[in-house]
Amino acid sequence: MAYTVLLVDDSETIRLAMVRAFGMTRLPMDEVIQASDGLKALEVLRSRWVDMVLTDINMPNMGGMELVRTMKKDAELAEIPVAVLSTEGSKVRIQELKDLGIAGYLRKPCKPEEIRDLLHSTLGEWS
Amino acid sequence: MNTQFATALREIAPLILEETAFVFTDDLSDPPPGPEWNPIGAQLAFKGDVILGSLRVWTDPKFARTIAANMLGVEEDDPQGEQRASDALGELLNIVLGNVLTRAYGDGPVFHLGIPTARPGELWPTDLKSESFWLMVEGFPIAFQGDE
């Protein structure tokens, strides 16, 4: 089974670097869809199936916290696993994200193997 | 820069450059002498319960292209490096600042970070000596300047 991941970050450099990192993990990826903020991510989520969302926090228009809150309130989106990739280091903020129901958290900068482990734990086992 | 912030910046910035852009740095105690440069920069504001301010980074446009190319995993002369130099510099600043704030003030406080904005070279301040932190990377100077 191959997976479709929605990658949400306002930095195109980070999105492209993450796509490259996904390739290095050798995970079965069907597609990595990119969105530059939470609003654009919601547009994608309401029109496409995705297996997982990986989002930044600080973004213009709609940030990652609001994206997660919006998804968790929407019955059609609430079950989609969301992981967060951010520079955030505050325990309070990370706990807030966990309380919202995120599937995982990675702090920038991170290594490809950390991304692999996050996707693995979020999406489940594969061979 | 206050001592806490400056110390954290000196510890964190070289590590982030190494982990994110795959480059190694040397400390510069003073701004490098020589001809005027025309740097590009990025600025990022932050706000917390007890402190607010901003961090700026300045470097040579050629090195900004190197940062972008290395982050993207493309050759230095790849057009993507030039196209994304400013974005890459802003994201580098974002990663540095997020980690510096945690190093300086611990993981208790909540900080709100803004969105990195580009700083054109003409905004380069003429006297950074007392409030900036300089590194030399692959022959290019890079300066961090904090206000908090």
Side-chain angles (χ1 to χ4, degrees), chain A residues 19-86:
Chain A
V19 169
R20 179 167 169 261
F22 286 171
M24 292 166 68
T25 64
R26 297 174 183 249
L27 299 177
M29 285 288 163
D30 183 30
E31 188 178 3
V32 181
I33 306 169
Q34 299 178 40
S36 59
D37 62 42
L39 287 178
K40 291 189 174 71
L42 288 173
E43 285 177 21
V44 172
L45 289 167
R46 287 176 175 138
S47 61
R48 296 278 310 270
W49 170 266
V50 306
D51 295 293
M52 175 186 173
V53 176
L54 182 58
T55 183
D56 189 14
I57 294 179
N58 292 317
M59 296 180 287
N61 303 318
M62 179 188 281
M65 297 284 287
E66 193 176 348
L67 172 63
V68 176
R69 283 195 195 97
T70 304
M71 287 179 66
K72 295 304 177 185
K73 287 179 192 166
D74 186 321
E76 291 187 5
L77 307 180
E79 298 304 317
I80 299 172
V82 186
V84 174
L85 174 66
S86 169

Side-chain angles (χ1 to χ4, degrees), chain A residues 10-14 16-17 20 58-60 87-93 107-109, chain B residues 16 19-20 71-73 84 87-88 91 94-95 98-99 102 107 109-110 112-113 115:
Chain A
D10 57 323
S11 168
E12 189 179 19
T13 306
I14 287 293
L16 294 173
R20 179 167 169 261
N58 292 317
M59 296 180 287
T87 62
E88 180 62 59
S90 162
K91 275 184 182 173
V92 173
R93 183 70 65 77
R107 188 166 194 203
K108 296 177 185 175
Chain B
I16 299 297
E19 289 184 30
T20 305
M71 288 173 78
L72 294 168
R84 300 192 172 84
D87 179 60
E91 188 56 28
N94 181 38
I95 297 172
N99 284 273
T102 306
D107 58 12
V110 174
H112 302 277
L113 272 60
I115 306 297

Side-chain angles (χ1 to χ4, degrees), chain B residues 14-97:
Chain B
L15 295 175
I16 299 297
L17 277 159
E18 185 180 330
E19 289 184 30
T20 305
F22 312 110
V23 292
F24 295 95
T25 63
D26 292 313
D27 272 346
L28 282 176
S29 54
D30 291 305
E36 293 297 315
W37 63 333
N38 183 29
I40 64 168
Q43 173 171 303
L44 181 54
F46 63 92
K47 182 181 175 186
D49 290 338
V50 294
I51 188 169
L52 78 164
S54 66
L55 183 66
R56 289 177 290 285
V57 62
W58 301 92
T59 194
D60 190 284
K62 288 179 188 168
F63 182 60
R65 288 200 291 273
T66 299
I67 293 172
N70 289 359
M71 288 173 78
L72 294 168
V74 299
E75 296 295 326
E76 286 194 20
D77 58 356
D78 190 299
Q80 290 187 80
E82 180 151 10
Q83 290 161 9
R84 300 192 172 84
S86 185
D87 179 60
L89 193 61
E91 188 56 28
L92 174 78
L93 182 66
N94 181 38
I95 297 172
V96 168
L97 180 58

